[in-house]
Amino acid sequence: MRFALVNNERCEAEPKLKGLCPYCHAPVIAKCGAQKINHWAHKSLNDCDKWWENETNWHLAWKDKFPKEYQEIVMNNDITKEKHIADVHLPNGLTIEFQHSSITPQERLSREKFYKDMVWVVDGTRRKRDFSKFLKGRTTLISHQPGVINIYKFYCSEEIITNDWSSSTVPVVFDFLGMPKQGDLVDTRRLPLYCFLPQKVQGQACFFEITRETFIYNTVNNGWQIFTKRQMDILEEAAKFVK
Ligand SMILES: [Zn+2]
């Protein structure tokens, strides 16, 4: 995690600093090495949030694109007494969860139910062949017009993306860029994010492209819900004319 409690204040990891986990209050150790972005680590995750996963640099770097005060927010449900650490939770009510590891449909759904207004950001580089399959599986559903962004329909016989994520009830954003090393040649098609919508057309998943900057700006500045709603409306309208 990026933040631990040190004398009751949220602090980033620094060498030799000792802290407590804001969720389970177990001691956590500051990890400040060359390999990984500075972070805090539990000695054991046994008593911590069962949804918490050991974080990759991808995970830590994504969170850090958002204002510090919105990262790693402990959220409570007063009725069920359930509590979890949201990766990013914004004052407008939106939660953003970054997912590197595979996740079962049951666990995915329970998180969607808990956070309600949320968006997933998925590490699309975890499995090497997913990106090429993704490129093969898409067709343009609505082409570009002024003020309207491209929406694609996604066909894929091997169901790489649809397998884990197609039944999602919230938007799912795929990041196929990952964490390229300096000097790596990057396929420019990996630069945008690809946001899958919960709505389907003829049973097929649909998505639109969005720049990283627009995604971050919209989520932080209240625009995300309106933005995705508009894409869904366009999609539903277009679906009427798809044979
Ligand atoms: Zn903990």
Side-chain angles (χ1 to χ4, degrees), residues 112-201:
E112 290 169 9
K113 278 191 178 149
F114 179 80
Y115 293 122
K116 294 181 185 78
D117 186 7
M118 75 170 290
V119 52
W120 293 99
V121 178
V122 176
D123 184 355
T125 64
R126 185 172 62 86
R127 289 180 300 203
K128 290 275 174 288
R129 291 180 58 226
D130 278 6
F131 184 61
S132 55
K133 287 188 199 168
F134 165 77
L135 292 177
K136 263 189 224 157
R138 66 180 182 171
T139 53
T140 306
L141 178 64
I142 304 170
S143 51
H144 185 82
Q145 315 155 22
V148 179
I149 57 171
N150 285 344
I151 298 186
Y152 300 88
K153 199 155 129 181
F154 182 76
Y155 295 95
C156 193
S157 54
E158 291 181 70
E159 305 223 326
I160 38 144
I161 281 154
T162 48
N163 232 3
D164 302 337
W165 299 98
S166 72
S167 56
S168 184
T169 57
V170 300
V172 181
V173 170
F174 279 85
D175 173 9
F176 288 109
L177 182 63
M179 295 287 285
K181 291 180 196 77
Q182 236 180 354
D184 277 0
L185 264 183
V186 171
D187 182 336
T188 52
R189 291 171 298 182
R190 291 181 181 273
L191 297 178
L193 298 168
Y194 298 95
C195 177
F196 280 76
L197 296 163
Q199 275 86 345
K200 305 281 181 285
V201 171

Side-chain angles (χ1 to χ4, degrees), residues 141 153 155 201-202 238-243:
L141 178 64
K153 199 155 129 181
Y155 295 95
V201 171
Q202 295 167 339
K240 292 177 191 163
F241 302 100
V242 175
K243 295 206 181 81

Side-chain angles (χ1 to χ4, degrees), residues 1 21-26 28 42 45 47-49 85:
M1 46 185 52
C21 167
Y23 180 92
C24 67
H25 296 102
V28 285
H42 286 71
L45 274 169
D47 298 317
C48 203
D49 189 350
I85 315 168

Side-chain angles (χ1 to χ4, degrees), residues 93-104:
L94 181 70
T95 295
I96 308 172
E97 285 281 278
F98 302 100
Q99 190 66 25
H100 167 77
S101 317
S102 66
I103 184 169
T104 63

Side-chain angles (χ1 to χ4, degrees), residues 76-83 114:
N76 296 284
N77 181 319
D78 294 337
I79 300 160
T80 62
K81 304 292 172 208
E82 213 179 333
K83 69 168 185 172
F114 179 80

